[in-house]
Amino acid sequence: MTKNRKHFVSVEDFSNEELLYLLRRARKFKNGTAGWTMPEKQIFAANLFFENSTRTHNSFHVAERKMGLDVIEFNVQESAVSKGETLYDTILTLDALGVEVCVIRSGVDSYYNELIDSESIHCAIVNGGDGSGQHPSQCLLDLMTIQEEFGDFSNLQIAIVGDIAHSRVARSNAQMLSKLGARVFFSGPEKWYNPDFDEYGTWKPIDELVGTVDVMMLLRVQHERMNTEENDNFSKEDYHEQYGLTLARAEKMKKNAIIMHPAPVNRDVELADALVEAPKSRIVKQMANGVYARMAILESVLS
Amino acid sequence: MTKNRKHFVSVEDFSNEELLYLLRRARKFKNGTAGWTMPEKQIFAANLFFENSTRTHNSFHVAERKMGLDVIEFNVQESAVSKGETLYDTILTLDALGVEVCVIRSGVDSYYNELIDSESIHCAIVNGGDGSGQHPSQCLLDLMTIQEEFGDFSNLQIAIVGDIAHSRVARSNAQMLSKLGARVFFSGPEKWYNPDFDEYGTWKPIDELVGTVDVMMLLRVQHERMNTEENDNFSKEDYHEQYGLTLARAEKMKKNAIIMHPAPVNRDVELADALVEAPKSRIVKQMANGVYARMAILESVLS
Amino acid sequence: MTKNRKHFVSVEDFSNEELLYLLRRARKFKNGTAGWTMPEKQIFAANLFFENSTRTHNSFHVAERKMGLDVIEFNVQESAVSKGETLYDTILTLDALGVEVCVIRSGVDSYYNELIDSESIHCAIVNGGDGSGQHPSQCLLDLMTIQEEFGDFSNLQIAIVGDIAHSRVARSNAQMLSKLGARVFFSGPEKWYNPDFDEYGTWKPIDELVGTVDVMMLLRVQHERMNTEENDNFSKEDYHEQYGLTLARAEKMKKNAIIMHPAPVNRDVELADALVEAPKSRIVKQMANGVYARMAILESVLS
């Protein structure tokens, strides 16, 4: 088992031991017992977000600063990327300037392959989300939040609800959760489901799941997928009524069951407005845990 | 009297004692006797400017850094705000990430109410300007600059000249100055005056004021209010001639009278180009004082 | 000989001694023997890039941080510049806020004159590139890279190839290199050459130069200059074939000759893709050296 990898681009090939180690470090960062010592020499990290982000971006920023890194906020609009410079040449540049970690979000699936394969690029690549690929730091913070709540993954029942096929959260979470012993279910519009996911769990209508699962993990609905012909023109109200966590459905949840969402939430679409900050919601806690999960990730690529 | 408030969103309900205390602290920050000790633990501040700003934004940034805060420059364009995330959910996120102070400028009047009323949001809110509402840190730096010049507010005569009705500086300044004992006058186009202001001072033509007041406080004219039918299509030149501080008018000012302007100045509109950096001008000093006024504000919400 | 100047806006009037002193300091920053002590009091530097930049901008940022400066990344889009505030008034503001060094890139030739002539502006101005004027920090890093390779400039033969007339790198480099004793040649489309340059060197077709020079310094071709009538509609492929460093031409280079380019490179235009990271290329090293050259520049204006 390797505890440290040079890059952090995907969790899909992580062993349970590796994942549990990262989760342990994240918890230690959270409770202040990680024993991290601020670097004596300056370490530069750069954040490159080619897609809009509030949580992931600022969460990495806070994590980097808490670890004593010097942060470069790469301004995509004002860089040579606007004159057509490629991601490869951009990272080659930052690497030459002495940057040791690049956190990147890009709309391009698996954008990181050419970077980690390059012999000229030496900095660590941390994936902040790629196209409709992965979002491994989100996966880690989700696992951390579930583990914090229930201690263990085995015997847990977890529903992932929404646009399963297009989510970059659904696949990693389903895969990792089932590997760690949880039982995974999927729900949401059937058109948005992909039978590929059958290997990690079972699709069921939300009303068959809401009363029995321990975790209702709701996924963000992309606005652009609403009111289209392909999707039978259903509206936000329709979505909420048919697939969302309404107040009525939330009433049926088990006493200790929790609500999760990677955010930003479409209030009254994926879940009722009043549930976002309700006692069962762990949505704010997920955001808080994101900082510690990312500190664990940064530690792993820096060592 | 409470010297410290959790938030700093408006000065209108401040007592004279509170204001004078903040001014005293600002002066001490300026002359290096504030006795501020850099925080041992990291404190994160975030600046969110939804409207363009050079002075207020960079001034808060410098003030935050001088106090040893870790600063997050929230990039509005590259955040989830661009996908429709609300200000409330954005601040909820930053709060969850561990941000303790949010400095916000927004085009929405009183945007801060829902933030300071929320039970889920714990960070301090500092108002960097709201809609056509308030701009309380500007008020404080203006008061500081006047106090530095004259020592005391009583017996001072102060003219506020320009678009009184639409200014977010005019009301707080008029209110606070009259409360502190100064005599306030207003001038500028009568159409841009609002009789509401009668309770703080008297409207007079600029030529009746220029020779008698101690402070000529000029307000920025918004370009979009020029050359419109509503405003009788008057041009910048017309404005300068009729309501501006021309060189000729400046000649008539009292020996110790000073010129103030919140900037950015439209040179040769509100005042003659050559007056901006003239001996009577305190415009550059206002900008310099802004840093110390904001340090006093940050101190008050952090303690 | 003055080793320190208040501003760093051009190298054209630098003596050889001054240049060699800066190069010596840059080398010392690189090998860790500069003996720079982190400032005890905070020093604020601001970066204002009115034109897109990856290398120069981030390189200055890293240099500033390595010297312990507090960096303000001035956001052009979100500043009052968008409401028409001038560069002069922007710098006047930053100066008032306590900024001691402003690094500026602007599309306006010699934008810096009004700033360094102003009696109200006290901060140091560092030119990060002006219009089709100069790019003095690029010149310094280029000289540093050549010196590192060959030890000395005399007897070196250097070809500068590309859009000579419109480049802000060509003139300073040609001037300084010839002053330092190197022999300079120019190449590229004859239409893009300017006889003004005859005083620093000789124009020759690339094929007459490639086998004899020690340095092939290629300049970036601006996309907008391609496929225009004025330029006989030649394409990128044409440019590469006629004026670029093709693989075939590179074969003819001397054993110890090197390839340089200020980047961003148009791969397969100015030089063949495979040459960018080839053993003869110093392009990545140029970027790395840029940080140290800029530290030497910052040191010179700070002392």
Side-chain angles (χ1 to χ4, degrees):
Chain A
M1 185 193 94
T2 34
K3 280 183 300 199
N4 302 315
R5 294 171 182 243
K6 171 121 200 256
H7 306 287
F8 181 83
V9 294
S10 158
V11 288
E12 299 200 347
D13 65 339
F14 272 54
S15 66
N16 282 358
E17 285 68 29
E18 281 183 292
L19 272 179
L20 293 170
Y21 176 78
L22 280 177
L23 292 173
R24 210 151 54 231
R25 292 301 297 161
R27 268 199 323 275
K28 282 182 184 283
F29 277 113
K30 185 169 184 179
N31 67 26
T33 62
W36 172 258
T37 44
M38 290 304 211
E40 272 188 46
K41 122 182 186 321
Q42 280 180 304
I43 298 177
F44 286 87
N47 297 327
L48 299 93
F49 278 71
F50 295 89
E51 290 189 328
N52 294 335
S53 162
T54 288
R55 262 151 297 277
T56 309
H57 191 164
N58 290 295
S59 176
F60 267 114
H61 182 103
V62 171
E64 288 154 356
R65 293 297 303 140
K66 284 198 176 204
M67 299 188 73
L69 307 187
D70 231 298
V71 183
I72 294 176
E73 286 299 342
F74 186 83
N75 190 317
V76 174
Q77 251 86 50
E78 298 184 3
S79 73
V81 170
S82 318
K83 335 181 197 168
E85 186 159 35
T86 60
L87 177 64
Y88 180 89
D89 282 337
T90 301
I91 301 301
L92 186 64
T93 300
L94 293 174
D95 188 66
L97 300 183
V99 171
E100 296 186 39
V101 188
C102 287
V103 178
I104 305 171
R105 166 171 291 187
S106 159
V108 179
D109 282 18
S110 308
Y111 68 82
Y112 45 78
N113 283 332
E114 62 167 349
L115 306 177
I116 64 186
D117 290 347
S118 163
E119 279 176 30
S120 313
I121 293 174
H122 312 287
C123 61
I125 305 298
V126 173
N127 185 7
D130 65 296
S132 50
Q134 298 217 19
H135 192 353
S137 66
Q138 179 73 41
C139 179
L140 200 68
L141 75 89
D142 288 340
L143 296 179
M144 180 184 178
T145 306
I146 295 169
Q147 194 189 40
E148 207 171 45
E149 193 71 31
F150 300 103
D152 190 16
F153 296 93
S154 54
N155 305 316
L156 285 184
Q157 303 207 35
I158 295 171
I160 304 179
V161 182
D163 190 350
I164 306 295
H166 294 85
S167 164
R168 57 186 170 204
V169 177
R171 182 179 302 271
S172 310
N173 279 9
Q175 218 173 329
M176 294 302 115
L177 283 165
S178 66
K179 214 158 139 183
L180 287 163
R183 197 159 162 215
V184 178
F185 298 93
F186 302 104
S187 194
E190 285 200 74
K191 282 192 177 179
W192 293 358
Y193 183 67
N194 182 333
D196 276 6
F197 281 82
D198 287 351
E199 66 172 296
Y200 313 119
T202 314
W203 189 93
K204 287 197 180 181
I206 189 167
D207 291 306
E208 290 183 26
L209 293 169
V210 75
T212 60
V213 297
D214 302 291
V215 178
M216 283 295 291
M217 186 183 284
L218 309 162
L219 304 177
R220 178 174 169 85
V221 176
Q222 307 301 321
H223 294 299
E224 58 273 21
R225 298 183 59 71
M226 284 297 178
N227 293 313
T228 61
E229 245 175 65
E230 178 204 355
N231 290 311
D232 306 326
N233 292 310
F234 66 64
S235 66
K236 292 177 180 188
E237 291 72 23
D238 294 338
Y239 184 91
H240 188 57
E241 215 39 64
Q242 292 176 47
Y243 310 108
L245 189 62
T246 57
L247 289 173
R249 286 194 182 105
E251 283 295 311
K252 298 189 186 131
M253 285 176 72
K254 280 165 63 178
K255 185 158 165 280
N256 296 317
I258 60 171
I259 300 167
M260 294 176 69
H261 189 299
V265 172
N266 294 303
R267 289 170 180 254
D268 286 329
V269 182
E270 297 101 38
L271 73 166
D273 181 20
L275 294 175
V276 176
E277 294 156 70
K280 277 190 161 359
S281 168
R282 293 298 173 274
I283 298 173
V284 170
K285 202 179 209 178
Q286 282 174 278
M287 302 193 285
N289 284 343
V291 172
Y292 305 105
R294 287 166 179 126
M295 290 175 81
I297 291 165
L298 290 166
E299 181 188 46
S300 76
V301 299
L302 284 170
S303 14
Chain B
M1 184 195 92
T2 34
K3 280 183 300 200
N4 301 316
R5 293 168 182 244
K6 171 121 200 256
H7 306 287
F8 181 83
V9 294
S10 158
V11 287
E12 300 199 346
D13 65 338
F14 272 54
S15 65
N16 282 359
E17 285 68 30
E18 280 182 293
L19 272 180
L20 293 169
Y21 176 79
L22 281 177
L23 292 173
R24 209 151 56 230
R25 292 301 297 162
R27 271 200 320 278
K28 282 180 183 284
F29 276 113
K30 186 169 183 178
N31 67 25
T33 61
W36 171 258
T37 44
M38 291 302 212
E40 273 189 45
K41 121 185 186 320
Q42 280 179 305
I43 298 177
F44 286 88
N47 297 328
L48 298 94
F49 279 70
F50 296 90
E51 289 189 329
N52 293 335
S53 163
T54 288
R55 262 151 296 278
T56 309
H57 192 163
N58 290 294
S59 176
F60 266 114
H61 183 102
V62 171
E64 288 154 356
R65 291 298 302 141
K66 285 199 175 205
M67 300 187 75
L69 308 188
D70 230 297
V71 183
I72 294 176
E73 287 298 343
F74 186 83
N75 190 318
V76 173
Q77 252 85 50
E78 297 184 3
S79 72
V81 169
S82 317
K83 336 181 197 171
E85 186 160 33
T86 61
L87 177 63
Y88 181 89
D89 283 336
T90 301
I91 302 301
L92 186 64
T93 299
L94 293 174
D95 188 66
L97 300 184
V99 171
E100 297 186 39
V101 188
C102 286
V103 178
I104 306 171
R105 167 172 288 187
S106 160
V108 179
D109 282 19
S110 308
Y111 68 82
Y112 44 77
N113 283 332
E114 62 167 348
L115 306 177
I116 65 186
D117 290 347
S118 162
E119 279 176 29
S120 312
I121 293 175
H122 311 287
C123 61
I125 304 298
V126 173
N127 185 7
D130 65 295
S132 50
Q134 300 217 17
H135 192 353
S137 66
Q138 179 72 41
C139 179
L140 200 70
L141 76 89
D142 288 340
L143 296 179
M144 180 183 176
T145 306
I146 294 170
Q147 194 189 40
E148 209 171 43
E149 193 71 31
F150 300 102
D152 190 15
F153 297 94
S154 53
N155 305 316
L156 285 184
Q157 300 207 34
I158 295 169
I160 305 179
V161 183
D163 191 351
I164 307 293
H166 294 84
S167 164
R168 56 186 170 204
V169 178
R171 183 179 302 271
S172 310
N173 279 8
Q175 218 175 332
M176 294 301 115
L177 283 165
S178 65
K179 213 158 138 184
L180 286 163
R183 200 160 158 211
V184 177
F185 298 92
F186 301 103
S187 195
E190 284 199 76
K191 281 193 176 178
W192 293 357
Y193 183 68
N194 182 332
D196 275 7
F197 281 82
D198 287 352
E199 67 173 296
Y200 313 118
T202 315
W203 189 93
K204 287 197 180 181
I206 188 166
D207 290 307
E208 292 183 27
L209 293 169
V210 76
T212 60
V213 297
D214 303 291
V215 179
M216 283 294 291
M217 185 182 285
L218 308 163
L219 304 177
R220 177 175 170 83
V221 175
Q222 306 301 319
H223 294 298
E224 58 272 21
R225 298 183 59 72
M226 285 296 179
N227 294 314
T228 60
E229 246 176 65
E230 180 204 356
N231 290 312
D232 306 326
N233 292 311
F234 66 64
S235 66
K236 291 177 182 190
E237 291 72 24
D238 295 337
Y239 184 92
H240 188 58
E241 217 38 66
Q242 293 176 47
Y243 312 107
L245 189 62
T246 57
L247 290 173
R249 287 195 183 104
E251 282 295 310
K252 299 190 186 131
M253 285 177 70
K254 283 164 63 176
K255 183 159 166 283
N256 295 317
I258 60 170
I259 301 168
M260 294 176 69
H261 190 299
V265 173
N266 294 303
R267 288 168 180 256
D268 286 329
V269 183
E270 297 102 38
L271 72 166
D273 182 20
L275 295 175
V276 175
E277 293 155 71
K280 278 190 161 356
S281 167
R282 294 298 173 273
I283 298 174
V284 170
K285 201 177 210 181
Q286 283 174 277
M287 302 193 285
N289 284 343
V291 172
Y292 305 105
R294 286 167 180 124
M295 290 175 82
I297 291 165
L298 290 166
E299 180 188 47
S300 77
V301 301
L302 283 171
S303 14
Chain C
M1 184 196 93
T2 34
K3 282 183 300 201
N4 302 316
R5 295 170 181 243
K6 169 117 202 260
H7 306 286
F8 182 83
V9 294
S10 159
V11 288
E12 300 198 346
D13 65 338
F14 272 54
S15 66
N16 282 358
E17 285 68 28
E18 281 183 292
L19 271 180
L20 292 169
Y21 176 79
L22 280 176
L23 291 173
R24 208 150 55 231
R25 292 301 297 162
R27 269 200 322 276
K28 282 181 183 282
F29 276 113
K30 186 170 182 178
N31 67 27
T33 62
W36 171 259
T37 44
M38 291 303 212
E40 272 188 47
K41 122 183 188 317
Q42 279 180 303
I43 298 177
F44 285 87
N47 298 327
L48 298 92
F49 279 71
F50 294 90
E51 290 189 329
N52 294 335
S53 163
T54 288
R55 262 151 295 280
T56 309
H57 191 164
N58 290 295
S59 176
F60 267 114
H61 182 103
V62 171
E64 289 154 355
R65 292 298 303 141
K66 284 198 176 205
M67 300 188 73
L69 309 187
D70 229 298
V71 183
I72 294 176
E73 287 298 343
F74 186 83
N75 189 318
V76 174
Q77 252 85 51
E78 298 185 2
S79 73
V81 170
S82 317
K83 338 180 195 170
E85 186 158 33
T86 61
L87 177 64
Y88 181 89
D89 282 337
T90 301
I91 302 300
L92 186 65
T93 300
L94 293 174
D95 188 67
L97 299 184
V99 171
E100 297 185 39
V101 189
C102 287
V103 178
I104 306 173
R105 166 170 291 186
S106 159
V108 179
D109 280 20
S110 308
Y111 67 82
Y112 44 78
N113 283 332
E114 61 167 350
L115 306 178
I116 65 187
D117 290 347
S118 162
E119 280 177 29
S120 312
I121 292 174
H122 312 287
C123 61
I125 305 298
V126 173
N127 185 7
D130 66 296
S132 50
Q134 300 217 15
H135 191 354
S137 66
Q138 179 73 40
C139 178
L140 200 69
L141 77 89
D142 288 340
L143 296 179
M144 180 183 178
T145 307
I146 294 169
Q147 194 189 40
E148 207 171 46
E149 193 70 30
F150 300 103
D152 190 16
F153 296 93
S154 53
N155 306 315
L156 284 184
Q157 301 206 36
I158 295 171
I160 305 179
V161 183
D163 191 352
I164 307 294
H166 294 85
S167 163
R168 58 186 170 204
V169 178
R171 182 178 302 270
S172 311
N173 279 8
Q175 218 174 329
M176 295 301 113
L177 283 165
S178 66
K179 214 159 140 184
L180 288 163
R183 198 157 162 217
V184 178
F185 298 92
F186 302 103
S187 195
E190 286 199 75
K191 282 193 177 178
W192 294 357
Y193 183 68
N194 182 333
D196 275 6
F197 281 82
D198 287 352
E199 68 171 294
Y200 313 118
T202 315
W203 189 94
K204 288 199 179 179
I206 188 167
D207 291 307
E208 291 184 27
L209 293 169
V210 75
T212 60
V213 298
D214 303 291
V215 179
M216 284 294 293
M217 187 183 284
L218 309 163
L219 304 177
R220 178 175 168 83
V221 176
Q222 307 301 319
H223 293 297
E224 56 275 21
R225 297 182 60 70
M226 285 296 179
N227 293 312
T228 60
E229 247 176 65
E230 178 203 354
N231 289 311
D232 306 326
N233 293 310
F234 66 65
S235 66
K236 292 176 180 189
E237 290 71 25
D238 294 338
Y239 184 92
H240 188 59
E241 216 39 65
Q242 292 177 48
Y243 312 107
L245 189 62
T246 57
L247 289 173
R249 288 195 181 101
E251 282 295 310
K252 300 189 185 132
M253 285 176 70
K254 281 166 61 178
K255 184 160 167 280
N256 295 317
I258 61 171
I259 301 168
M260 295 176 67
H261 190 299
V265 172
N266 295 302
R267 288 169 180 257
D268 286 328
V269 183
E270 298 101 37
L271 71 165
D273 181 20
L275 295 174
V276 176
E277 294 154 69
K280 278 190 160 359
S281 167
R282 295 297 173 272
I283 298 174
V284 170
K285 202 178 210 181
Q286 283 174 277
M287 302 193 285
N289 284 343
V291 172
Y292 304 106
R294 287 168 178 125
M295 290 175 82
I297 291 166
L298 290 167
E299 181 188 46
S300 77
V301 300
L302 284 171
S303 10

